[in-house]
Amino acid sequence: AQSVSQHNHHVILSEAASLELGCNYSYGGTVNLFWYVQYPGQHLQLLLKYFSGDPLVKGIKGFEAEFIKSKFSFNLRKPSVQWSDTAEYFCAWGYQKVTFGTGTKLQVIP
Amino acid sequence: DTGVSQNPRHKITKRGQNVTFRCDPISEHNRLYWYRQTLGQGPEFLTYFQNEAQLEKSRLLSDRFSAERPKGSFSTLEIQRTEQGDSAMYLCASSYNLRTGPTGELFFGEGSRLTVL
């Protein structure tokens, strides 16, 4: 079945460390890719999305992701994390509907 | 607050009872989605509407689940004869989409947490 997979279930980083969260999708056709974030006690919200064009997309709060078609990957990156980035991050893909990965919990230690 | 609104926020029920959740999307959004999320998992797609038309329903959804969006505005999700395995967070999201275009940003509500005893 078409899906997305997230390799890291729980990541712990110190503030100022660099972040990269892996995401791979299985669909080989036209694909729209997303990263959503859920901060503690809040609802899911969009971080960034890729539909077409420049494979390096920038989102809110200094996050970016790179679409690498040959690797079926859409990894999320941030050069320097902050304590406020502690949250759960979901990779997602879809066209008419959106399918989510299992999520990665990021804990940033001050 | 003009975001997506869901109620009730929490529902505790006994096995075998029926429950209904309501979702009020952002007013100008024509597309509405229902997802289910359990601990340690990402949101699992249940169904979605374009205006009042239900365009897709997950094969994982048993016939005990039914969703409606009668006037293309709010939506209800009903679970009949609840089972303990139905315990989860039920999420609603809305977006604006051209019928043939890709889905844009989903705006999620806070969710309705169901506990079946």
Side-chain angles (χ1 to χ4, degrees):
Chain A
Q2 299 155 1
S3 66
V4 288
S5 59
Q6 294 183 243
H7 318 298
N8 316 101
H9 297 293
H10 196 182
V11 173
I12 302 173
L13 294 173
S14 297
E15 275 192 316
S18 64
L19 170 72
E20 182 161 4
L21 300 181
C23 172
N24 285 92
Y25 62 94
S26 62
Y27 183 62
T30 300
V31 59
N32 302 312
L33 296 161
F34 310 84
W35 276 96
Y36 280 81
V37 62
Q38 187 166 26
Y39 297 102
Q42 297 186 26
H43 54 82
L44 278 158
Q45 56 186 284
L46 183 70
L47 260 185
L48 49 80
K49 64 184 179 186
Y50 173 79
F51 282 9
S52 63
D54 189 342
L56 184 63
V57 292
K58 296 190 184 298
I60 60 172
K61 303 187 180 185
F63 286 90
E64 64 178 31
E66 185 174 11
F67 169 61
I68 303 179
K69 189 174 182 179
S70 61
K71 295 184 178 180
F72 295 87
S73 70
F74 189 58
N75 292 354
L76 181 70
R77 301 194 295 247
K78 186 171 184 179
S80 176
V81 295
Q82 301 172 320
W83 176 78
S84 58
D85 294 324
T86 293
E88 190 159 15
Y89 294 81
F90 295 93
C91 181
W93 81 279
Y95 194 75
Q96 299 293 341
K97 71 180 186 190
V98 178
T99 300
F100 289 82
T102 54
T104 298
K105 288 186 178 177
L106 172 65
Q107 183 179 357
V108 179
I109 301 170
Chain B
D1 188 341
T2 56
V4 177
S5 175
Q6 293 188 245
N7 64 82
R9 294 291 307 280
H10 298 95
K11 178 71 176 179
I12 301 173
T13 190
K14 292 182 179 179
R15 188 176 53 189
Q17 299 294 305
N18 299 342
V19 297
T20 299
F21 300 115
R22 175 177 169 130
C23 172
D24 288 89
I26 294 171
S27 58
E28 61 267 28
H29 284 180
N30 57 357
R31 192 168 284 191
L32 186 147
Y33 297 80
W34 284 100
Y35 286 85
R36 176 172 63 191
Q37 187 174 21
T38 54
L39 200 62
Q41 299 296 317
E44 175 187 31
F45 171 78
L46 295 179
T47 188
Y48 83 95
F49 295 83
Q50 176 95 8
N51 300 312
E52 67 277 5
Q54 188 173 20
L55 296 188
E56 187 171 344
K57 185 175 174 180
S58 170
R59 287 174 291 176
L60 300 174
L61 216 58
S62 76
D63 56 6
R64 297 185 297 107
F65 288 71
S66 62
E68 294 182 340
R69 195 182 183 199
K71 297 182 180 179
S73 57
F74 74 91
S75 175
T76 58
L77 176 69
E78 181 183 17
I79 309 173
Q80 296 181 326
R81 305 181 303 280
T82 53
E83 302 172 356
Q84 288 184 325
D86 298 331
S87 295
M89 178 74 85
Y90 290 85
L91 300 172
C92 177
S94 69
S95 69
Y96 180 78
N97 286 83
L98 297 176
R99 185 175 178 87
T100 57
T103 190
E105 177 178 356
L106 297 183
F107 292 81
F108 281 86
E110 302 282 356
S112 293
R113 183 172 295 283
L114 173 64
T115 301
V116 181
L117 301 176

